Amino acid sequence: MGKDPRATVDDAGAASATSNRWGALVIGGLVSIGLVTLCATALFASDSLGLRSGPRPALADLVPSTTDTTVPAALRGCRSRLTPESPLRLWVGGDSLAGSLGPSLGEQAAATGIVAPVYDSRVSSGLSSPEFFDWPRHGADEMARLNPETVVFIMGANDWVTPRATPNDASGQPAWRAEYGQRVEEMLDALEGSTTRPQPRPVYWIGAPTLQDRRKDSGAREVNTVARAVVARHPNATYIDAYDLFSAPDGTYTATLAGPNGKVVRVRTADGVHFTPEGGDLLAVAVYGPLDARCRLAAQAVPGRPKPVIQTKGSSQVPGTHRTPAEPNPVPGSGATTTSTSATTPPTKPTTTTTPTTTTTPTTTTTPTTNETPTTQAITPP
């Protein structure tokens, strides 16, 4: 910035010194603004939502605030204006855990009247078993068919088998890491539509939660680490840490968490893998928060005009892991309503329907190692 103007000022040049001091203040202010901008850019260059900060919150504490000003700017901005006639097209997909998240998040978002949700869950699927179910191909087909504006994708619980003893690659890392990282890249490319759209669509990538079996849990943690690193390289993608959200305070598996009014709520099923309907609600609230912040859903909501929650034809779910018409949503303030499949459901209630898909069922006879239990709507056998 040069020499201090005061060092060269004499009585005859007082006016000039005053001018110089004002100039220095202006330049200093501009520098400060620049530093703040650089810090903000660095902070939000890679979005990753770790959901624990201090003591673990109860379910009631996770109900999103529509006035939260701490949401990263990188998560803000959405098509405007959203209306019942022109709703946000939301697609929720993934393995069987999406069968819990899809109905819970779908109902919560649909209740605003300005979000049209579709969910697609495939039991026993994973990125590591394309011979069983080819997610990148299916995802690309669904993106072309439905053209969603925002995508939520949960994956990793069935990929715990991926970490294995392999030779190190040129980077010194086990070769499986690069292989799995490439699968995540392919899936993100399909979901973002980076080669078919002028601007990649926003993707919220959710990793695997804690798993009760220690060997499976260890594998899930490793694939989560790889997925998080890949997501960090995509400016329009956000990683949501379900492992942290569903872990005990010491970071280990827990089947229960503190619910409303401090009561213990069971969030995991007896198999140690899947969510209960309450667990699906918990994850839905964690996802809805940044989605609401980016798209101002609550601010634009149209009460009394909920949209239908659509389940893609061919989706499959594990019994006891998702909301049904007889189970009201217990999370207060979440905005969700019960899902109904009845054709006589009044128009003011969200309905679950099905929509056809052009993706064919895999024809392989290979069955991957899986965490899953029998389904209510099984995928057509190969």
Side-chain angles (χ1 to χ4, degrees):
M1 293 179 61
K3 296 196 301 181
D4 188 336
R6 290 171 295 182
T8 58
V9 167
D10 55 24
D11 293 340
S16 176
T18 300
S19 175
N20 286 339
R21 284 196 297 273
W22 278 109
L25 289 173
V26 170
I27 293 173
L30 291 175
V31 171
S32 299
I33 293 172
L35 288 174
V36 170
T37 302
L38 287 173
C39 291
T41 301
L43 180 61
F44 302 130
S46 173
D47 297 320
S48 181
L49 299 184
L51 299 172
R52 181 187 301 172
S53 179
R56 175 166 297 284
L59 291 180
D61 298 330
L62 287 170
V63 176
S65 169
T66 57
T67 59
D68 185 4
T69 60
T70 64
V71 177
L75 298 183
R76 297 187 181 276
C78 192
R79 173 173 63 85
S80 185
R81 170 170 177 82
L82 300 175
T83 66
E85 294 73 29
S86 182
L88 178 75
R89 300 184 302 277
L90 173 67
W91 185 85
V92 182
D95 55 29
S96 58
L97 299 183
S100 301
L101 175 62
S104 291
L105 178 59
E107 292 168 7
Q108 184 173 349
T112 64
I114 58 169
V115 180
V118 175
Y119 72 93
D120 190 344
S121 54
R122 305 288 170 154
V123 169
S124 299
S125 66
L127 295 184
S128 60
S129 54
E131 68 284 353
F132 174 74
F133 192 82
D134 191 338
W135 265 114
R137 185 194 66 176
H138 179 72
D141 289 345
E142 290 299 274
M143 296 304 100
R145 184 174 72 89
L146 299 171
N147 190 27
E149 296 169 273
T150 298
V151 164
V152 176
F153 190 68
I154 182 167
M155 185 58 58
N158 288 319
D159 291 330
W160 67 268
V161 298
T162 301
R164 60 193 185 280
T166 57
N168 289 349
D169 58 21
S171 68
Q173 295 295 316
W176 73 262
R177 290 179 176 272
E179 294 170 4
Y180 189 76
Q182 182 57 38
R183 295 184 189 277
V184 176
E185 284 281 3
E186 291 173 1
M187 192 68 224
L188 271 173
D189 288 344
L191 297 177
E192 289 183 330
S194 53
T195 61
T196 59
R197 295 166 55 91
Q199 180 71 19
R201 62 172 58 85
V203 175
Y204 295 88
W205 186 289
I206 306 171
T210 52
L211 303 177
Q212 188 174 32
D213 182 276
R214 290 185 179 181
R215 185 165 63 100
K216 295 176 181 179
D217 185 75
S218 177
R221 283 203 314 272
E222 290 199 63
V223 296
N224 281 350
T225 299
V226 174
R228 183 195 290 267
V230 175
V231 170
R233 298 198 292 266
H234 289 247
N236 290 283
T238 301
Y239 185 90
I240 295 181
D241 193 343
Y243 191 96
D244 180 79
L245 179 63
F246 285 93
S247 64
D250 63 357
T252 60
Y253 175 88
T254 180
T256 60
L257 290 172
N261 303 319
K263 294 182 179 179
V264 174
V265 176
R266 188 173 185 88
V267 294
R268 309 299 292 275
T269 62
D271 64 12
V273 175
H274 294 94
F275 301 133
T276 62
E278 291 78 14
D281 295 339
L282 170 61
L283 183 56
V285 171
V287 177
Y288 183 87
L291 184 61
D292 178 30
R294 188 174 65 84
C295 295
R296 300 177 60 251
L297 301 181
Q300 301 182 77
V302 180
R305 298 189 62 182
K307 309 300 291 184
V309 180
I310 300 176
Q311 180 181 18
T312 299
K313 184 178 180 180
S315 291
S316 51
Q317 293 169 290
V318 175
T321 66
H322 56 91
R323 292 260 155 241
T324 67
E327 295 176 302
N329 189 333
V331 180
S334 67
T337 58
T338 57
T339 301
S340 173
T341 57
S342 171
T344 60
T345 301
T348 57
K349 298 290 184 181
T351 61
T352 297
T353 57
T354 59
T355 183
T357 176
T358 57
T359 302
T360 58
T361 302
T363 58
T364 178
T365 58
T366 302
T367 302
T369 303
T370 177
N371 301 316
E372 314 298 357
T373 57
T375 69
T376 53
Q377 300 177 19
I379 298 175
T380 303

